[in-house]
Amino acid sequence: VATFDSFATRILARHGNPGEWESDGYDARIRGAAALIDDHPEAREDIGTCLHLVVDEVQDLVGDRAELVDSILQALRPEAGFTVLGDPAQGIYDFQLEGSESKATSRQFLRRVLDGTPEPTVELLTDLFRAQSDDLTDIARQGDALRTHVVADNTDDTDAGEKVLDSLFGLHTYDTRFTAKILEDVAEGDETGAVLCRFNSQA
C-alpha cells in the first residue's frame, strides 16, 4: 500500500541511477518512475510481480500521476487483474494540470482505462444511502447521469451537460433566511444538519 509519490520513489530507488533523481521533487519523481516502467526491463518485471492492482479515488488522477498509473497498468502481466475505484462526478483536480507536463484530465484517463484490452467490467453503485429527501434524491440522480455519461463512450458532451444543468436549475433554491430556519429547526430537534454552499461568502 503506497501513495503515488512514495511508490515512484521506491521504483527510482530500485531501478534508477544513483545521484540522478534524489534531488528531484515529487512531480519529477513521478515522471521518472513512469519513464523507468515504460523503458527499463527490470522495472517492468518488478511491476509484473503484481497479481492485482487496486487504485482508489481514480477521479483524482490527472496529468503526470495519471500517466504513472497508466504505465503501471500497461506493465501488468496479462493474467493480472486490476480494480479502480472512484466517482467521476467528483473529479475536481483538473486544475492541477497547470504545473503538469501531461495534460490528461481525470475523465480522459478513465476513458483510456475503459477502452483498454481486455475491456474491463464496470460496476455502478446505485443505492442512495445519503439521500433522505425528494430534493436530495433528485440531486443524486444528476450524479448518476454524470457517471453514466463518463462511462458511456457514445454520448455527446454538450447534450449531457445541458440536461444536467436543466435538471439542477429546476430544483428548489433556498435563500439565507430560509436556510437558517432549517438549521434552527434541526438544532431544536436535537439532530444534525449541514448546508452546502457554492462560495465561502455564502457560508
Side-chain angles (χ1 to χ4, degrees):
V1 178
T3 65
F4 299 118
D5 300 303
S6 63
F7 183 80
T9 298
R10 187 187 308 170
I11 291 294
L12 289 166
R14 287 177 182 170
H15 306 291
N17 293 323
E20 290 187 0
W21 58 269
E22 287 88 341
S23 61
D24 287 343
Y26 284 131
D27 292 343
R29 290 185 183 196
I30 291 286
R31 291 189 291 271
L36 275 175
I37 294 169
D38 289 340
D39 303 326
H40 196 289
E42 289 183 7
R44 290 186 72 84
E45 288 177 14
D46 195 353
I47 301 298
T49 63
C50 176
L51 299 178
H52 195 99
L53 175 71
V54 179
V55 182
D56 196 14
E57 305 291 1
V58 69
Q59 78 278 355
D60 296 344
L61 274 179
V62 301
D64 297 328
R65 283 163 180 76
E67 299 299 342
L68 173 62
V69 174
D70 191 44
S71 295
I72 295 170
L73 287 170
Q74 299 305 318
L76 292 175
R77 292 177 298 171
E79 62 270 24
F82 69 89
T83 301
V84 295
L85 305 162
D87 182 355
Q90 296 185 40
I92 61 171
Y93 284 96
D94 286 351
F95 71 88
Q96 292 182 340
L97 293 174
E98 187 175 334
S100 174
E101 287 189 9
S102 168
K103 300 304 178 185
T105 66
S106 59
R107 179 170 176 178
Q108 288 169 339
F109 170 71
L110 182 57
R111 186 73 262 152
R112 204 184 302 174
V113 172
L114 293 172
D115 291 339
T117 304
E119 184 179 348
T121 301
V122 177
E123 297 288 345
L124 295 176
L125 306 182
T126 57
D127 289 342
L128 306 175
F129 297 106
R130 296 177 180 174
Q132 301 296 318
S133 71
D134 291 341
D135 272 354
L136 289 177
T137 300
D138 287 342
I139 293 170
R141 291 297 177 208
Q142 303 316 309
D144 287 345
L146 288 172
R147 291 178 197 97
T148 303
H149 175 66
V150 171
V151 171
D153 61 356
N154 58 353
T155 53
D156 176 67
D157 282 348
T158 305
D159 184 49
E162 287 178 355
K163 286 180 179 177
V164 170
L165 283 176
D166 287 345
S167 299
L168 290 176
F169 281 115
L171 297 173
H172 296 295
T173 57
Y174 301 110
D175 62 21
T176 307
R177 201 167 296 203
F178 187 75
T179 303
K181 181 70 171 78
I182 292 175
L183 289 177
E184 185 180 346
D185 292 344
V186 165
E188 288 177 356
D190 199 26
E191 298 174 347
T192 59
V195 175
L196 181 64
C197 300
R198 185 177 294 274
F199 306 110
N200 286 340
S201 58
Q202 292 174 334

